[in-house]
Amino acid sequence: MSDAVPLSDRYSRQILFPGIGERGQQALARAHVAIVGVGATGAASAALLARAGVGTLTLIDRDFVEPSNLQRQVLFDEEDAEQSLPKAEAARRHIARFNSSVQVHPQIADLVPANIAELLAPADLILDATDNFETRYLINDYAVRETKPWIYAAAIGAYAATMNILPRRAHKTCTPGFTSEPWPPTACLACIFPKPPSGPVETCDTAGILSTAVNLAASIQVNEALKLLTNQPLLMRRTLLSHDLWSNERAEIKAAAPDPNCVVCGQRKFSHLAGEGRPHITLCGRNSVQIHEHHRPVDLPAMAERLAPHGRVRHNDMLLRFDRPPHTITLFPDGRAVIQGTTDVMVARTLYARYIGS
């Protein structure tokens, strides 16, 4: 941080709060938080953490900014949407403008079993800001196995929900700078939801979403994160908390202790980490399918030249967009692609094979 803006001035109002103080602010500066998903909830949480002075953020997101995001995704603007910037990189640029002392590591990637350890191992805390339960169960498997705390958050329509997950850990695994005593473990995600929801699941595309619900979920999530990062885990809520802001309904489900019969934290079976039955994922808010099984380097300029005779092509160092109505293919350097204009996996695979290769 510049000498012109000393820490005591930038964070003076937060330091005055007894729950933070000077020591808490110093702990925040040393902390590292990973946020999985930098859409609506993730962007809001990243902004709050950066303004609070959390020293290092890893932002993981597979998606890019579109005009429909701007109603609720607070870190992005019209220029980001016009350029189709990856959300993780766009978030990094905006955070740098209001707090250049925060180190932001953008990861333009899909969180999968093959890269989860590399992406999440350095973090003290994981924040979930995803749009699907497949990724949440993957985070839960990893966090329980590695005894790493994480906070679940969800927002859809006018509904917001959060839950703290504090896995059982031994004294020897204590993170430097954190309390030397292990926290009492909470239930994990699989304790509360042993299986993913069955049948049709509402998304932003079908149910819409209010920015107020997004910001409530993010605010509660970050508030709980600040307790942990300032070495006060015993103050963290031990329930699954939900609010419906339109109907004014509020509910809490006890999550104070692990279920001894839980497959994940009780039996320590990590099927999602093993990649069992991992599907293609329909993205929140768009008629799209992601193709993510290839993981092969792509020369984007060469691919742009190859695709130019077949439709409109735009590209930069981070992605390529190929428009062939009614479909748009967004291709990333690792070979991953988002196929817009369909929710049919077979159609998406066919388009990928036809234009990108198999």
Side-chain angles (χ1 to χ4, degrees):
M1 180 183 296
S2 169
D3 292 338
V5 188
L7 183 141
S8 59
D9 286 350
R10 178 183 283 271
Y11 304 112
S12 61
R13 303 307 187 270
Q14 187 165 277
I15 290 171
L16 284 171
F17 175 66
I20 303 290
E22 290 278 2
R23 291 185 63 185
Q25 194 63 53
Q26 292 168 5
L28 293 178
R30 295 190 297 268
H32 184 165
V33 177
I35 302 179
V36 185
V38 194
T41 306
S45 291
L48 289 169
L49 289 170
R51 291 186 184 278
V54 171
T56 305
L57 299 176
T58 293
L59 306 181
I60 305 163
D61 196 281
R62 64 195 181 195
D63 207 356
F64 51 89
V65 183
E66 292 188 294
S68 65
N69 300 150
L70 303 180
Q71 165 255 346
R72 64 195 180 280
Q73 299 186 12
V74 297
L75 275 179
F76 311 131
D77 59 28
E78 292 178 351
E79 185 176 349
D80 299 328
E82 177 64 26
Q83 296 178 11
S84 297
L85 278 181
K87 291 180 179 178
E89 172 60 19
R92 182 196 68 79
R93 296 182 187 185
H94 285 282
I95 289 171
R97 294 188 186 110
F98 66 77
N99 196 344
S100 59
S101 68
V102 175
Q103 296 183 50
V104 180
H105 304 298
Q107 299 290 342
I108 305 165
D110 190 26
L111 191 74
V112 295
N115 65 14
I116 190 169
E118 176 187 358
L119 295 178
L120 298 185
D124 303 312
L125 171 66
I126 304 164
L127 299 190
D128 157 51
T130 65
D131 57 14
N132 66 89
F133 270 89
E134 180 67 26
T135 305
R136 290 178 177 130
Y137 280 104
L138 176 63
I139 295 170
N140 189 65
D141 273 12
Y142 175 79
V144 170
R145 190 188 72 180
E146 301 299 320
T147 62
K148 194 178 290 285
W150 73 284
I151 304 177
Y152 158 81
I156 190 75
Y159 172 86
T162 67
M163 174 180 162
N164 302 318
I165 294 94
L166 303 175
R168 183 178 285 109
R169 66 177 188 161
H171 289 265
K172 64 181 181 180
T173 64
C174 291
T175 303
F178 279 70
T179 177
S180 60
E181 293 296 323
W183 50 62
T186 66
C188 79
L189 184 70
C191 293
I192 305 300
F193 303 111
K195 294 182 179 180
S198 59
V201 177
E202 285 188 333
T203 68
C204 303
D205 203 25
T206 60
I209 188 167
L210 296 182
S211 61
T212 50
V214 167
N215 284 280
L216 177 62
S219 293
I220 295 172
Q221 184 184 53
V222 170
N223 193 69
E224 294 300 299
L226 295 178
K227 296 176 187 177
L228 182 73
L229 298 175
T230 57
N231 309 317
Q232 301 172 82
L234 297 182
L235 294 179
M236 296 177 73
R237 193 186 66 255
R238 303 173 71 84
T239 64
L240 169 61
L241 174 66
S242 64
H243 292 261
D244 188 315
L245 299 180
W246 211 251
S247 66
N248 301 312
E249 295 177 348
R250 179 183 183 278
E252 289 190 74
I253 298 174
K254 290 182 179 179
D259 179 352
N261 298 315
C262 175
V263 172
V264 177
C265 66
Q267 302 175 25
R268 301 191 66 79
K269 295 180 180 178
F270 305 121
S271 61
H272 289 82
L273 266 181
E276 297 175 12
R278 187 171 179 83
H280 289 73
I281 300 171
T282 300
L283 302 184
C284 175
R286 289 201 312 280
N287 183 27
S288 309
V289 171
Q290 181 178 204
I291 303 291
H292 57 69
E293 75 271 34
H294 289 266
H295 299 291
R296 56 176 184 172
V298 174
D299 184 328
L300 295 183
M303 182 64 68
E305 186 175 349
R306 192 179 101 186
L307 293 175
H310 306 287
R312 184 187 181 204
V313 182
R314 293 164 287 163
H315 74 94
N316 53 40
D317 292 341
M318 294 169 284
L319 57 80
L320 175 152
R321 296 201 74 185
F322 170 58
D323 295 315
R324 186 164 175 92
H327 303 106
T328 297
I329 298 176
T330 302
L331 180 66
F332 297 87
D334 63 356
R336 183 172 59 86
V338 175
I339 317 296
Q340 291 176 261
T342 184
T343 56
D344 187 317
V345 170
M346 293 307 297
V347 170
R349 281 178 167 166
T350 299
L351 290 167
Y352 189 100
R354 180 182 301 162
Y355 294 110
I356 309 305
S358 57

